[in-house]
Structures are given as structure tokens and as C-alpha cells.
């Protein structure tokens, strides 16, 4: 789960990191009010879960409250990479003397958290990694001891020549690590970490991605989820315990297991079709889950055919068959359905489906080819 | 022969009285796995299915039964402690089926187990099966056949699909290992490749990867340097859009690192026969054996 910038900077502030004042707003009125309270020039920043906000015109400076209102009117409601801007952050405009990057991620390779810092801040860190990797300094953290003071200090020396700034930055790095752990994050970064015109080190932008597996034990973080920033279909799927991602094609895929779901999408493409979604109905499917899955995929007007690919293990094929029969009665849609079932209770499933007028296949390639063909005929 | 689990596996089921644990304990017993004990705190002294003794702690279970392997089905919030407990009790191998263990928790579990000499498979994995000998986890036994192919995979049902294709066409397996789809796991592709290379019964290896991370690229390098047996590989997620999470936490592609194209190229360079689709597995094996 990604947090918005305004949520991430609040967590950093709680951890003790210096962050400029500011507040979040969803109307131009609120923006004007916040800008007036700040009293100086402000920056108005779109709060959407994507990078490249500045390039898209989603970040603008304003000299006074009236101008802040005017730029908010432009930014609120605009679309950045197909996401509508519902909220903006209003913060004081700061004079920047230098910009650095600091971040902590969980590194798969070392299987530990890793601190990364770079004096090249304010730009995409992936770009720095690609063009000037020598400008990124990494330090592996033993999670049982946390980010040690000497590690934080050594990293800070890579950023600043001034010992006062080094000491400030070292404290910030340890605070960032504490915030990273407290949030159950897979990534926490400050980009840019700046020095201002008085020489102080300040966090100007913040990004935190939380490991979804942490949300059960961190209700305060789970409450930060902003469903208005996600596609409605993806929210509905998550609430039903389904894993769903909307795509652009016209062959809807309903599969058990993430790997098989991806392989099914790949096979749709292999046979000249285009998948409409990724959908994993999970391990222990009950018929209700299948009903919700069909509701979600049949609501997509691009969909021309629906493909089920079920390999029964823990998932019982008869449960899926019952779900398909129930859903097609309830939903009254006329999309063609191709069903491939094999494994646990396969015979029972075929009986249930044939009783309701469906036919079931047992071969994955045959089923995918048929679903692609039906979608092409209907398109 | 086989790898990681075999006829000598004496299994403890952690969470044997739970919904998933009891279902799969029965399945494993029916398959012929030596399920010697179960552990559920507070239920020590009971018997599961009138035969398997249940203990309060893993240490008790090992002391009384000489168990050497444990499988974990407890809910996610108890899974890390279950792994610590099994390692402290001296378990040789832990298979953690449980899904949803926080990644930061795993960064602590991994070194703890390593220091105690305990091997972990998973978490969030279907486990391991050596057909005809032992099954530890949830891989359906009836799709497997005894034979000479080693299978290692990050996926669950996709693994079943490929095992099914193999068995149907007469290619049995020495062992099938589901290493799990999480970003941080105990046993990786290289561990399994090394085990299959060393296993005299295994004639060829099937490796099933997916998008995200660089495990497959590292495995390809290992194949180049150390593996003499034929390897056939598949990467799921060739059509996945960048930056989106596809169910498995491991399956995130950001930027250029970890795409299916990159992994398939690494396989190809290492002389691994690359499947375009699951049904290619048998034809490619036939060419190589």
C-alpha cells in the first residue's frame, strides 16, 4: 500500500524529522485558507500515487493566497497518469541550498533493509542508479540492531562537508529508520532532503510504501488507505479477498493462484488475444468469491469473453462451478464463458456445469484459444 | 533419491488442530508421509485422528518422536514465532506454508535460522514433495509421479500445472519444491539447483520463475558455472504491466530489473531451454534428454 506524500510527511514529523509546515486540502477554499495561515509563498502539490507529478503540471508555486487558490483550481480534478487528483498538499515554499536523496528499502538480495543515500537529490533515484551509480552510497542494516549511529554518520558524510549538517542528517537517518520500522514499510524515502538558506537539513518530500502483510498488526497505518485514489473495481476485489488488476484487453481471466494467473494472461497473448485483467481468486475459494469476481469482470465494458482457469488443489473445482452457476443466474449477462477445470473434485464440477448448460474443458491451451477466438468474433 | 524430503522425513505439523493444518495433515498422512507429531499450545496430550500425538511445544515433540522436519500452517501473526520455536528446538528443515508473514519479520527470521543451521523453505509456499516417498506441504499428491525430473518453482498452482503436464506425458519427478512467492525466502533457486545437481537420480531440472527481483538471473549464472544437467525454464508474467503487484509480493517489476524479458534472456544465455508456455515443458525436455 502506498501512502500519500502528506501522510508520509506526517509519519516523518512524528518520528522527529524536520518537515516544513503544511496541510492537505481538497477544495480551492481550503487551499486559500491554508496558504493564508502559512503567510509566505506556498507550493501546491497534487496527492496521487504516481511519480512525475511535477512534469504533469501537478506541482505549482504560488506567491500569495489568491494565486494558491487559482493554481489549486487547475490541479484539483486534473488527471495524472489516469489518476484523478482529489487532494493537494499546501506547504511553504522553501529556499533550497542543496538537494540530496536518502531512502531505506528491503533488499531482496541481502535479505535485509538497506540505507541508500546520494548527493544527487531531487531527481529520480533509478535514473541516478542507471547513469551515475558511483554517486549512490549503500549501507546494509542488521534489523536486529537497527541503523547504527556510525552507519548513519558515515552515510551523512557522503552528503555534506559541514560537520553540523552531517550530525543533523545522521539523526534524521536514524529517525527515518525508526519511521520505516514503525510503519512496516518496504520503502521509505526523502527526496529531496535539502539544506535551506539557513543551512539546516530539512525533509521536503516523503514517500512511504507499506508491506500489505503488516496492515493486520498496524491498524493506524491501515486506516491511512485512501480508497478514492484506487480504481473502484480493485477496491471491491480487495474487500472480497481477491487479487485484481484492471488491464486494457477484452479477454477476462479468472484464475486461482498468482503464478497461474500470470501464465494464463501470457497464454492469452501468445494466442493473439489481450487480457482484460489479472484476477487471482485465491486458495480456498467459496462460491461467493466467484460471484464477486464475475460481478467485477463483467462490469468492464471492454470484456468480450470470460475465461476460467482453475487448477484444483486446495481450491475445489465444485466450489468454483457452483459460483459460476449462481453468478450467471444472478447477474444476467450474456458474455460467453470458457471454463477449464482440473484437479480436486473435477468430475463433480463438470456434472454441476453440464447440468446448468455449460461445458468444461480440461486443457489450458484449448481453453485459452477458445476464449481468444470468442473475444475476436465479438469484437 | 530425492532432495530435502524423503522416506527418512519425520514430520511435525505446527498448527495441526487448525482448519488448514488438520486438512493437510490428513492429506499428508494419506500420502504416506511419516507425520510423527503435531503441535498446538494447550492441546498437548491429545491425539490427532486417534494416532498422531499432539504436543504443547516443538521441543517436546522432537524429544518424544525424534522429528527432523516441521511444516507450519499457523496464522500469519504466529508464523514467525513458530519458525523461531522450531529452530530453537533444533529442527533440520522447516517448511512454512503460511502466507502473509511481514517482510521485515522475515529479515530477522532468516539470520536467526541460519545461525542455528536450520533450513527454511518458504514462507508462502506450497512445500515439497518427493513422489512415492514423502509430501510436506500442500502440493496435490495425485498429480505427481515417481521419476527423474527435479522441479523448482516460485509459484503454487502454476507448479501443479507443469507437474501435471510432466506426469501425463510420462515424466515423473524426483522432487518438486515450491520455494514461495515472497521477496524474502529461506531456500532459493540456487539451493535447489545445487541439490538437484548433486542428486544422482535427477536427470533434468525444470525451473519456474516469475517477474520481480533477480533470483532467476542469479540462478542462470549458477547454471552456467555449476550445473551439468539439462535445465528447462519458464517465467510467468511476460505480459504484466510494470510497477503493478500481481498477487505474489515478489512479482513486482519496477524499471528494467526483474522483467520477464530480462529473465528469459538470462536463461537463454545460460543454455536453459526457455518455455514460451507451460505446454512446452515436455517437448523441450524430450529434445534435451
Amino acid at each position: 500500500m502506498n501512502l500519500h506524500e502528506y501522510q508520509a510527511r506526517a509519519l516523518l514529523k512524528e518520528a522527529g524529522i524536520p518537515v516544513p509546515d503544511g496541510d492537505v486540502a481538497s477544495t480551492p477554499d481550503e487551499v486559500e485558507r491554508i496558504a493564508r495561515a502559512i503567510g509566505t509563498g506556498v507550493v501546491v502539490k497534487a496527492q496521487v500515487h504516481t511519480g512525475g507529478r511535477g512534469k504533469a503540471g501537478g506541482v505549482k508555486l504560488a506567491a500569495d493566497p489568491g494565486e494558491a487558490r487559482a493554481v489549486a483550481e487547475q490541479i484539483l480534478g486534473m488527471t495524472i497518469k489516469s489518476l484523478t487528483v482529489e487532494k493537494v498538499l499546501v506547504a511553504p515554499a522553501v529556499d533550497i541550498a542543496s538537494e540530496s536523496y536518502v531512502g531505506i528499502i528491503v533488499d531482496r538480495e541481502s535479505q535485509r533493509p538497506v540505507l541508500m543515500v546520494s548527493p544527487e537529490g531531487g531527481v529520480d533515484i533509478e535514473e541516478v542508479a542507471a547513469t551515475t551509480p558511483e554517486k549512490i552510497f549503500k549501507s546494509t542494516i542488521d534489523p536486529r540492531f537497527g541503523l547504527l549511529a556510525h552507519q548513519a554518520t558515515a552515510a551523512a558524510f557522503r552528503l555534506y562537508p559541514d560537520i553540523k549538517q552531517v550530525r543533523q542528517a545522521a539523526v534524521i537517518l536514524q529517525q527515518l529508520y525508526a519511521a520505516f520500522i514503525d510503519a512496516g514499510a518496504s520503502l521509505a524515502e526523502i527526496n529531496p532532503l535539502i539544506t535551506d538558506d539557513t543551512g539546516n537539513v530539512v525533509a521536503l518530500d516523503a514517500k512511504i510504501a507499506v508491506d500489505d502483510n503488516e496492515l493486520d498488526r498496524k491498524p493506524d497505518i491501515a486506516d491511512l488507505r485512501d480508497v478514492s485514489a484506487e480504481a473502484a473495481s480493485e477496491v471491491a476485489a480487495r474487500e472480497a479477498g481477491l487479487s485484481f488488476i484492471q488491464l486494457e484487453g477484452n479477454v477476462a481471466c479468472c484464475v486461482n493462484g498468482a503464478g497461474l494467473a500470470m501464465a494464463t494472461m501470457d497464454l492469452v497473448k501468445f494466442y493473439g488475444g489481450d487480457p482484460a485483467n489479472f484476477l487471482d481468486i485465491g486458495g480456498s475459494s467459496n462460491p461467493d468469491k466467484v460471484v464477486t469476481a464475475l460481478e467485477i469482470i463483467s462490469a468492464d465494458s471492454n470484456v468480450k469473453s470470460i475465461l476460467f482457469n482453475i487448477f484444483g488443489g486446495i481450491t475445489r473445482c465444485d466450489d468454483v462451478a457452483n459460483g459460476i452457476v449462481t453468478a450467471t443466474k444472478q447477474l444476467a449477462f450474456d458474455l460467453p464463458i470458457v471454463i477449464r477445470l482440473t484437479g480436486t473434485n473435477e468430475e463433480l464440477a463438470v456434472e454441476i456445469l453440464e447440468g446448468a448448460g455449460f461445458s468444461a474443458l480440461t486443457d489450458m491451451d484449448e481453453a485459452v484459444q477458445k476464449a481468444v477466438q470468442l473475444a475476436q468474433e465479438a469484437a | 533419491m530425492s532432495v530435502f524430503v524423503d522416506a527418512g522425513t519425520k514430520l511435525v505439523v505446527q498448527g495441526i488442530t487448525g482448519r488448514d493444518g488438520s486438512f493437510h495433515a490428513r492429506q499428508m498422512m494419506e500420502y504416506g508421509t511419516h507425520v510423527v507429531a503435531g503441535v498446538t499450545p494447550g492441546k498437548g496430550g491429545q491425539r490427532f485422528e486417534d494416532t498422531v500425538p499432539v504436543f504443547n511445544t516443538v521441543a517436546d515433540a522432537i524429544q518424544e518422536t525424534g522429528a527432523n522436519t516441521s511444516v507450519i500452517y499457523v496464522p500469519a501473526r504466529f508464523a514467525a514465532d513458530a519458525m523461531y520455536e522450531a529452530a530453537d528446538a533444533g529442527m533440520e528443515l522447516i517448511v512454512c506454508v503460511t502466507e502473509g508473514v511481514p517482510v521485515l519479520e522475515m529479515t530477522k527470521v532468516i539470520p536467526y535460522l541460519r545461525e542455528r543451521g536450520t533450513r527454511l523453505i518458504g514462507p508462502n509456499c506450497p512445500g515439497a514433495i518427493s513422489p512415492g516417498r514423502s509430501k510436506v506441504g500442500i502440493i496435490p499428491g495425485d498429480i505427481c509421479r515417481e521419476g527423474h525430473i527435479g522441479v523448482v518453482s516460485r509459484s503454487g498452482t502454476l507448479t501443479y500445472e507443469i507437474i501435471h503436464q510432466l506426469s501425463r506425458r510420462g515424466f515423473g519427478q524426483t522432487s518438486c519444491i515450491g520455494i514461495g512467492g515472497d521477496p524474502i525466502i529461506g531456500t532459493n533457486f540456487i539451493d535447489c539447483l545445487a541439490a538437484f545437481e548433486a542428486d544422482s537420480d535427477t536427470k533434468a531440472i525444470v525451473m519456474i520463475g516469475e517477474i520481480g527481483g533477480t533470483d532467476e538471473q542469479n540462478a542462470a549464472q549458477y547454471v552456467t558455472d555449476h550445473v551439468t544437467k539439462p535445465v528447462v525454464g519458464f517465467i510467468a508474467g511476460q505480459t504484466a504491466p510494470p510497477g503493478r503487484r500481481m498477487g505474489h509480493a515478489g512479482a513486482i517489476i519496477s524499471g528494467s530489473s526483474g522483467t520477464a524479458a530480462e529473465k528469459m534472456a538470462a536463461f537463454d544465455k545460460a543454455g536453459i531451454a526457455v518455455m514460451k508456455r507451460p505446454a512446452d515443458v515436455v517437448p523441450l525436455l524430450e529434445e534435451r534428454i
Side-chain angles (χ1 to χ4, degrees):
Chain A
M1 180 178 92
N2 292 321
L3 301 187
H4 284 301
E5 178 192 3
Y6 77 91
Q7 297 169 323
R9 74 205 293 279
L11 294 179
L12 297 191
K13 211 166 194 167
E14 259 174 55
I17 296 174
V19 177
D21 294 333
D23 211 346
V24 66
S26 49
T27 65
D29 277 350
E30 284 169 22
V31 171
E32 191 179 343
R33 202 158 51 235
I34 296 164
R36 187 155 286 128
I38 290 172
T40 60
V42 296
V43 58
V44 180
K45 304 172 88 176
Q47 300 294 290
V48 282
H49 294 311
T50 180
R53 293 175 299 171
K55 275 182 212 148
V59 179
K60 287 205 160 79
L61 289 165
D64 56 61
E67 196 185 350
R69 182 193 181 86
V71 300
E73 275 166 358
Q74 293 167 25
I75 295 173
L76 284 164
M78 77 184 289
T79 306
I80 303 177
K81 293 184 188 163
S82 80
L83 297 166
T84 306
V85 179
E86 309 272 356
K87 291 176 186 142
V88 290
L89 171 69
V90 188
V94 180
D95 286 324
I96 298 171
S98 76
E99 294 183 287
S100 304
Y101 168 93
V102 302
I104 299 167
I105 55 153
V106 178
D107 175 40
R108 303 168 66 126
E109 196 102 19
S110 62
Q111 305 192 311
R112 291 181 175 206
V114 169
L115 169 70
M116 288 195 296
V117 305
S118 173
E120 297 286 301
V123 294
D124 201 358
I125 192 65
E126 280 83 8
E127 208 176 299
V128 180
T131 54
T132 50
E134 71 281 1
K135 288 187 174 161
I136 299 179
F137 173 76
K138 292 181 189 171
S139 189
T140 303
I141 301 165
D142 185 329
R144 295 170 295 178
F145 302 100
L147 180 66
L148 300 169
H150 80 84
Q151 291 181 299
T153 308
F157 270 115
R158 303 286 176 138
L159 303 179
Y160 304 111
D162 178 278
I163 186 65
K164 188 177 134 253
Q165 290 173 340
V166 168
R167 291 207 170 106
Q168 278 185 20
V171 171
I172 289 172
L173 291 175
Q174 287 195 298
Q175 289 165 329
L176 179 65
Y177 184 74
F180 170 84
I181 296 295
D182 286 348
S186 49
L187 171 138
E189 63 181 25
I190 303 172
N191 188 21
L193 181 72
I194 64 147
T195 51
D196 63 15
D197 49 1
T198 63
N200 284 315
V201 183
V202 178
L204 215 54
D205 197 343
K207 187 173 170 187
I208 293 179
V210 177
D211 174 5
D212 287 358
N213 291 343
E214 297 270 5
L215 297 176
D216 269 352
R217 63 178 187 180
K218 296 192 188 291
D220 293 355
I221 300 292
D223 284 346
L224 296 177
R225 188 184 287 284
D226 177 9
V227 292
S228 73
E230 299 172 62
S233 54
E234 292 178 14
V235 175
R238 192 181 54 247
E239 281 166 2
L242 306 165
S243 181
F244 174 81
I245 292 173
Q246 181 76 60
L247 302 169
E248 313 280 307
N250 59 12
V251 180
C253 304
C254 188
V255 187
N256 67 321
L260 188 60
M262 286 191 281
T264 305
M265 290 160 53
D266 294 347
L267 203 56
V268 166
K269 204 96 174 182
F270 180 85
Y271 285 116
D274 216 353
N277 62 275
F278 164 90
L279 198 161
D280 171 12
I281 61 169
S284 51
S285 65
N286 60 31
D288 291 347
K289 265 194 183 177
V290 180
V291 173
T292 311
L294 271 172
E295 261 169 21
I296 291 167
I297 54 187
S298 61
D300 174 2
S301 59
N302 287 337
V303 169
K304 298 286 181 249
S305 71
I306 297 173
L307 166 67
F308 275 85
N309 186 14
I310 304 298
F311 204 109
I314 319 175
T315 303
R316 288 167 37 185
C317 293
D318 56 319
D319 277 346
V320 177
N322 278 323
I324 295 170
V325 173
T326 312
T328 46
K329 273 185 197 148
Q330 276 177 15
L331 298 173
F333 59 84
D334 51 6
L335 291 164
I337 302 182
V338 179
I339 304 161
R340 183 272 178 138
L341 296 152
T342 195
T344 313
N345 294 359
E346 171 186 324
E347 297 79 12
L348 197 54
V350 171
E351 212 172 281
I352 293 164
L353 289 169
E354 284 178 347
F358 292 101
S359 59
L361 302 168
T362 53
D363 183 76
M364 177 165 161
D365 284 65
E366 199 185 333
V368 171
Q369 276 174 288
K370 193 170 169 193
V372 169
Q373 189 199 333
L374 287 168
Q376 281 167 349
E377 283 168 11
Chain B
M1 288 289 286
S2 44
V3 307
F4 302 138
V5 300
D6 56 30
T9 297
K10 295 170 82 177
L11 187 69
V12 179
V13 179
Q14 291 180 256
I16 196 166
T17 55
R19 193 198 55 182
D20 293 342
S22 58
F23 176 80
H24 290 291
R26 274 191 290 272
Q27 300 267 312
M28 290 186 288
M29 288 160 72
E30 278 168 29
Y31 193 75
T33 305
H34 301 303
V35 178
V36 297
V39 171
T40 300
K43 299 204 173 166
Q46 297 183 5
R47 280 188 181 267
F48 177 75
E49 299 281 284
D50 295 327
T51 51
V52 179
V54 179
F55 297 91
N56 285 323
T57 68
V58 177
D60 288 350
I62 289 186
Q63 199 179 355
E64 297 298 320
T65 67
N68 54 18
T69 301
S70 99
V71 61
I72 294 174
Y73 293 103
V74 305
R77 63 183 182 282
F78 305 121
D81 193 57
M83 289 185 262
Y84 290 130
E85 184 189 355
D88 278 338
M91 202 65 76
E92 289 167 29
L93 171 67
I94 301 171
V95 174
C96 184
V97 173
T98 304
E99 177 181 357
V101 185
V103 174
L104 284 174
E105 200 66 64
M106 287 311 301
T107 65
K108 291 190 262 189
V109 170
I110 297 273
Y112 194 91
L113 268 52
R114 203 157 282 157
E115 283 162 12
R116 284 157 183 77
T118 302
R119 172 176 291 286
L120 169 69
I121 298 178
N124 187 18
C125 78
I129 185 166
S130 296
R133 299 177 178 91
S134 188
K135 151 178 158 153
V136 177
I138 62 174
I139 297 175
D142 57 355
I143 58 170
C144 302
R145 298 281 176 274
E146 284 181 62
H148 302 285
I149 309 296
V151 178
V152 54
S153 171
R154 262 166 81 181
S155 169
T157 48
L158 174 59
T159 318
Y160 311 163
E161 177 72 43
I162 287 174
I163 295 173
H164 182 63
Q165 305 255 6
L166 289 170
S167 296
R168 221 172 32 167
R169 307 274 299 272
F171 285 87
Q173 306 89 37
T174 42
S175 299
C176 307
I177 318 292
I179 59 176
D182 278 2
I184 294 190
I185 52 178
T187 294
N188 62 22
F189 281 119
I190 291 176
D191 299 322
C192 297
L193 288 169
F196 284 130
E197 176 70 14
D199 176 46
S200 58
D201 248 12
T202 300
K203 304 286 182 241
I205 302 165
V206 174
M207 177 161 63
I208 304 153
E210 57 186 43
I211 52 171
T214 50
D215 278 9
E216 290 82 356
Q217 293 89 316
N218 297 341
Q221 186 59 48
Y222 185 86
V223 168
T224 303
D225 297 341
H226 302 285
V227 178
T228 59
K229 296 175 183 178
V231 183
V232 173
F234 181 74
I235 302 290
Q238 297 164 39
T239 56
R244 297 305 304 263
R245 179 175 162 136
M246 295 269 165
H248 284 178
I252 301 174
I253 7 171
S254 351
S256 62
S257 170
T259 60
E262 195 182 314
K263 291 176 187 232
M264 290 162 86
F267 277 6
D268 193 52
K269 194 172 157 235
I272 298 169
V274 183
M275 300 180 233
K276 288 202 172 63
R277 54 192 181 126
D280 291 340
V281 67
V282 168
L284 287 176
L285 277 174
E286 279 170 342
E287 276 172 30
R288 311 242 151 182
I289 297 180

